[in-house]
Amino acid sequence: MIAIIDYDAGNIRSVGNALERLGAAYELTADPARILAADKVILPGVGNAAKAMENLRERGLCQLVRDLRRPVLGICVGMQLMCRDSEEGPVEGLGIFDAHVRRFAEAPDIKVPHMGWNALGNLDSKLFRDVDSGSFVYFVHSYYAGLGPDTIATCRHGGTLFSAALKYENFYGTQFHPEKSGSVGAAILRNFLAL
Amino acid sequence: MVAKRIIPCLDVKDGQVVKGINFEGLREVGDAVQMGVQYARDGADELVYLDISASREGRRTFVDLVRRIALGIDIPFTVGGGIGTVEDAARLLDAGADKISVNSAAIADPSLIGRIAARYGSQFVVVAIDARCLGGRWMCTTHGGSRPTERELFAWAREAQERGAGEILFTSMDHDGTRAGYADAVYARLAEELSIPVIASGGAGSIEDIRRVLIEGRADAALAASIFHYGQIPIPELKTALNKAGVNVRL
């Protein structure tokens, strides 16, 4: 059973839909007991990082997520919450990934939010098994995690090379939306399910 | 760099995809979910579903359809048509839509844009604008192009951006249905004036038309309907040709 953490952080149904397409059983839950009992945990998130962090804190889930020893996948804002901190607020994160989250600088023809399909590079994890460098995935975000020791994939937006994905021990995070990234996204989710 | 997007648009009436020829003589062309799944497989980057049902029953059918689309397809999709309140937008978000588009209702009450954006983020709000050139000025129209307004296209697009729109979907009513090319110069000016992405719509007849609006028109995405629905331009062929012509597209 996969637990998708339900903490009122945007359109999280699409992650469940993607798991359903892959034939994986899941539940949307904020119940600590259910999250602890799950084989894998997904922390989705769309919207404002500070608000999302507050929602997670209100549900008493911060320490619980940090202490998980099963595979955990943070998606988009979910990944950003797993970093040290974010300029969006600003807000302290869970501190799982050694990365800071900053806002993209706007420039002519460099639009913010970074929205649409962009190419992955420097793939370095089992999460990307059978995924080619240069594969396109779908992004929607205005804030990004910089490069660091936990970076397992990169992407470029204008002059900024940022972390498209992060990993630390059993924790994974993708800035992009695998659930909206066609067959490449499905392959990445399948790899996560196979961990 | 973010790839230029190719977006098939599906007009839906009572759960079936139809394509209006100048908004008259609607023809059914297929099942909305099946067509979406096929387009996603063919390499469409995003889909737009517009509800053109006039009845309440039709609207309810559409929400159910959005739920089935969200389950069926694995690429982002926008839904529009008849969204007049934050609650309408919320219903579609809950059903699984990635974005909603507002058109006539936003012109009637521009604060709608900001209210939806404040609740769900700018990335969720596409402002669709239908306009035609009258005496040298591009003027907005509503209700599928049938009603003129006093709003000028560029001023309205800028206002929509300031109010929180995440994208502008501009359809030239002068070009729509002609298959003679997009209003390239108008898109180039929108790109100049706006910092949010612009989706071009209206006039696609050939691969060259699409290449031109993406490069010379500087549009972020090209939307079309009939050339895709009737198989005139298969999407894999379109994308291969665009790639060869040096356009950054997802293959």
Side-chain angles (χ1 to χ4, degrees):
Chain A
M1 178 65 72
I2 315 294
I4 300 175
I5 301 184
D6 183 4
Y7 64 119
D8 195 20
N11 181 3
I12 60 171
R13 194 154 299 276
S14 59
V15 177
N17 284 341
L19 294 182
E20 196 155 330
R21 284 194 294 274
L22 295 174
Y26 72 94
E27 61 178 330
L28 289 170
T29 180
D31 177 353
R34 303 299 304 159
I35 295 169
L36 288 169
D39 301 314
K40 295 189 174 66
V41 175
I42 295 180
L43 181 66
V46 174
N48 182 286
K51 181 80 182 72
M53 196 64 203
E54 187 187 317
N55 289 347
L56 201 61
R57 199 175 299 120
E58 273 172 6
R59 287 162 181 74
L61 297 175
C62 294
Q63 196 56 43
L64 179 136
V65 170
R66 279 190 203 103
D67 292 342
L68 288 169
R69 286 294 165 260
R70 302 264 170 86
V72 179
L73 176 65
I75 297 174
C76 195
V77 169
M79 180 210 85
Q80 295 180 359
L81 298 188
M82 289 156 74
C83 295
R84 288 192 182 285
D85 48 45
S86 171
E87 278 183 4
E88 188 177 25
V91 66
E92 288 282 307
L94 297 173
I96 294 166
F97 300 130
D98 184 7
H100 300 280
V101 177
R102 301 199 167 82
R103 194 170 207 279
F104 282 117
E106 272 174 53
D109 279 326
I110 302 305
K111 295 181 177 178
V112 181
H114 171 229
M115 176 162 61
W117 297 83
N118 205 338
L120 294 173
N122 301 302
L123 303 178
D124 180 23
S125 167
K126 277 190 290 191
L127 196 61
F128 298 110
R129 200 183 51 207
D130 298 328
V131 174
D132 296 328
S133 179
S135 293
F136 282 85
V137 289
Y138 188 76
F139 292 87
V140 186
H141 60 126
S142 299
Y143 293 79
Y144 68 93
L147 304 183
D150 299 337
T151 303
I152 54 167
T154 63
C155 179
R156 178 175 293 283
H157 183 43
T160 308
L161 192 66
F162 64 93
S163 291
L166 295 162
K167 175 189 183 289
Y168 178 75
E169 294 182 347
N170 55 312
F171 295 93
Y172 295 79
T174 63
Q175 179 59 68
F176 57 88
H177 289 272
E179 75 280 14
K180 288 285 165 185
S181 295
S183 56
V184 171
I188 293 167
L189 285 175
R190 229 180 273 118
N191 288 338
F192 174 72
L193 296 176
L195 286 172
Chain B
M1 286 290 289
V2 184
K4 300 275 187 181
R5 287 170 279 157
I6 298 301
I7 308 179
C9 177
L10 302 93
D11 288 349
V12 176
K13 192 165 193 246
D14 306 322
Q16 290 291 308
V17 174
V18 293
K19 174 57 188 172
I21 311 295
N22 295 326
F23 293 100
E24 283 166 36
L26 298 171
R27 283 201 268 175
E28 276 189 19
V29 292
D31 175 81
V33 180
Q34 276 171 16
M35 281 181 74
V37 169
Q38 191 54 46
Y39 279 134
R41 261 189 218 138
D42 282 354
D45 297 303
E46 219 171 290
L47 299 171
V48 171
Y49 284 92
L50 286 182
D51 180 21
I52 58 167
S53 313
S55 66
R56 241 178 138 168
E57 189 55 44
R59 296 251 181 264
R60 203 168 313 122
T61 308
F62 188 64
V63 176
D64 290 338
L65 176 66
V66 169
R67 210 167 280 126
R68 290 195 290 123
I69 293 165
L71 191 54
I73 71 168
D74 55 10
I75 60 171
F77 70 101
T78 301
V79 298
I83 295 168
T85 63
V86 177
E87 289 67 38
D88 291 340
R91 245 190 311 279
L92 293 163
L93 175 111
D94 289 341
D98 296 289
K99 312 178 197 180
I100 53 93
S101 77
V102 288
N103 190 334
S104 305
I107 286 194
D109 176 9
S111 76
L112 179 65
I113 299 168
R115 284 185 283 121
I116 300 174
R119 190 134 144 210
Y120 300 112
S122 286
Q123 85 293 332
F124 182 61
V125 186
V126 179
V127 173
I129 306 175
D130 298 335
R132 61 173 86 244
C133 192
L134 294 169
R137 293 181 76 207
W138 281 90
M139 302 303 293
C140 301
T141 61
T142 61
H143 301 83
S146 64
R147 294 190 202 169
T149 73
E150 290 304 306
R151 285 184 176 273
E152 192 265 336
L153 165 67
F154 300 103
W156 173 233
R158 281 193 307 270
E159 181 178 339
Q161 171 177 294
E162 277 155 26
R163 287 181 176 275
E167 281 181 296
I168 298 291
L169 192 180
F170 163 54
T171 303
S172 162
M173 301 313 285
D174 292 343
H175 295 71
D176 199 36
T178 64
R179 300 197 184 188
Y182 293 86
D184 298 334
V186 184
Y187 292 105
R189 186 165 158 203
L190 283 170
E192 198 60 44
E193 298 206 6
L194 302 176
S195 61
I196 56 178
V198 176
I199 303 167
S201 156
S206 68
I207 291 175
E208 174 56 16
D209 292 339
I210 294 173
R211 188 201 65 79
R212 247 191 349 255
V213 79
L214 294 175
I215 299 301
E216 278 133 59
R218 294 173 57 197
D220 296 279
L223 177 146
S226 51
I227 57 160
F228 297 139
H229 300 337
Y230 302 116
Q232 190 194 338
I233 301 181
I235 290 174
E237 192 182 302
L238 167 65
K239 288 192 131 184
T240 305
L242 289 173
N243 177 255
K244 268 198 191 139
V247 183
N248 176 25
V249 288
R250 175 180 70 112
L251 289 178

